[in-house]
Amino acid sequence: FSGPFTDVVTTNLKLRNPSDRKVCFKVKTTAPRRYCVRPNSGIIDPGSSVVVSVMLQPFDYDPNEKSKHKFMVQTTYAPPNITDMEAVWKEAKPDELMDSKLRCVFEMPNENDKLNDIDASKPAPVLNTSKQDGPMPKPHSVSLNDTETRKLMEECKRLQAEIMKLIDENRHLRDEGLRLRKLAHSDKSGSPTALALRDNGSNSLPSLLVVIAAIFIGFFLGKFIL
């Protein structure tokens, strides 16, 4: 049975009687609710054949599921002056019955093959499409570079603003240090407090500048080198 299986799929089964006697046949299946068989039984004359239509009902096809459906065509020689088919099967002995077993196979058409056939019939559009597809990655790479450049420019502006802020803080600290020095020199009493203020004013400025410079250099190394 070939898909898609969204509608009824019909497969014909041809039965031929090669003998010189009439043969009764019956078609059975392991999934009677999934199939309609017309005719499902009958008589075949000697040397004649009959076509049996097997109709698969629509269902949700799963390619990973293996079909376990099977059919069996059972036959026996027809008795003379046959009138009741059901009686023939009921009265037939096991050694008088013959059968042929068939396994159902579900196949889904290959969509890629169909697309290739359509493209092969239209070579010009295929060639034009390939030419247009060639340079497509370049505009994409350019857009990525523009984005990176924009990010770097924004980062530079932010770093410049932080540098200006650090410069202002450094100027403020330098002015504060000078003010403390003046207070220390102007204090004539020579008290321990004045000496402590003078030492703090002279020692705090270099240490703070070293810390600020280290933070600034580490920030740049982390952003641009690493």
Side-chain angles (χ1 to χ4, degrees), residues 1-13 33-38 52-61 69 71 104-109:
F1 297 91
S2 298
F5 302 99
T6 55
D7 201 353
V8 177
V9 181
T10 302
T11 296
N12 292 326
L13 177 64
R33 295 183 179 181
R34 297 287 294 274
Y35 300 90
C36 291
V37 182
R38 295 292 184 273
V52 178
S53 297
V54 182
M55 292 164 280
L56 172 63
Q57 303 303 306
F59 71 102
D60 294 331
Y61 174 69
H69 300 169
F71 278 82
C104 296
V105 177
F106 301 145
E107 293 182 350
M108 185 66 73

Side-chain angles (χ1 to χ4, degrees), residues 11-219:
T11 296
N12 292 326
L13 177 64
K14 186 176 181 180
L15 305 179
R16 187 175 63 88
N17 179 9
S19 68
D20 55 358
R21 296 173 55 183
K22 290 185 177 181
V23 171
C24 298
F25 75 91
K26 180 188 291 186
V27 181
K28 297 181 179 180
T29 178
T30 58
R33 295 183 179 181
R34 297 287 294 274
Y35 300 90
C36 291
V37 182
R38 295 292 184 273
N40 59 355
S41 62
I43 300 175
I44 307 176
D45 292 330
S48 300
S49 61
V50 64
V51 176
V52 178
S53 297
V54 182
M55 292 164 280
L56 172 63
Q57 303 303 306
F59 71 102
D60 294 331
Y61 174 69
D62 185 2
N64 297 323
E65 181 181 358
K66 293 183 179 181
S67 173
K68 297 181 180 179
H69 300 169
K70 295 180 181 180
F71 278 82
M72 182 176 69
V73 180
Q74 197 171 41
T75 58
T76 184
Y77 286 118
N81 302 323
I82 180 173
T83 57
D84 188 0
M85 288 288 296
E86 292 297 329
V88 172
W89 296 109
K90 289 180 180 179
E91 296 173 1
K93 298 178 180 179
D95 57 353
E96 297 176 349
L97 297 177
M98 297 168 286
D99 59 69
S100 298
K101 296 180 180 180
L102 304 171
R103 184 175 61 87
C104 296
V105 177
F106 301 145
E107 293 182 350
M108 185 66 73
N110 193 341
E111 296 295 335
N112 292 331
D113 293 342
K114 290 185 177 180
L115 292 176
N116 291 334
D117 293 339
I118 295 174
D119 293 341
S121 63
K122 298 178 180 180
V126 173
L127 292 175
N128 291 336
T129 303
S130 62
K131 290 180 180 178
Q132 293 175 359
D133 292 343
M136 285 300 291
K138 293 184 179 179
H140 181 66
S141 60
V142 171
S143 62
L144 289 178
N145 291 335
D146 293 340
T147 303
E148 294 294 333
T149 303
R150 192 181 302 108
K151 289 182 179 180
L152 290 176
M153 292 179 63
E154 293 176 357
E155 188 70 17
C156 288
K157 291 180 180 180
R158 190 177 66 82
L159 290 175
Q160 289 178 357
E162 292 188 5
I163 290 173
M164 295 301 298
K165 182 179 179 181
L166 291 175
I167 292 175
D168 292 338
E169 291 180 356
N170 186 24
R171 185 183 299 109
H172 176 73
L173 291 174
R174 187 172 63 252
D175 294 342
E176 185 68 18
L178 292 175
R179 186 178 66 82
L180 292 175
R181 286 197 189 94
K182 289 180 181 180
L183 288 176
H185 285 297
S186 61
D187 191 356
K188 297 180 181 180
S189 63
S191 62
T193 303
L195 292 175
L197 290 174
R198 183 175 59 187
D199 292 338
N200 290 335
S202 62
N203 295 330
S204 62
L205 183 59
S207 300
L208 188 59
L209 290 176
V210 170
V211 171
I212 293 173
I215 293 173
F216 184 70
I217 293 172
F219 183 79

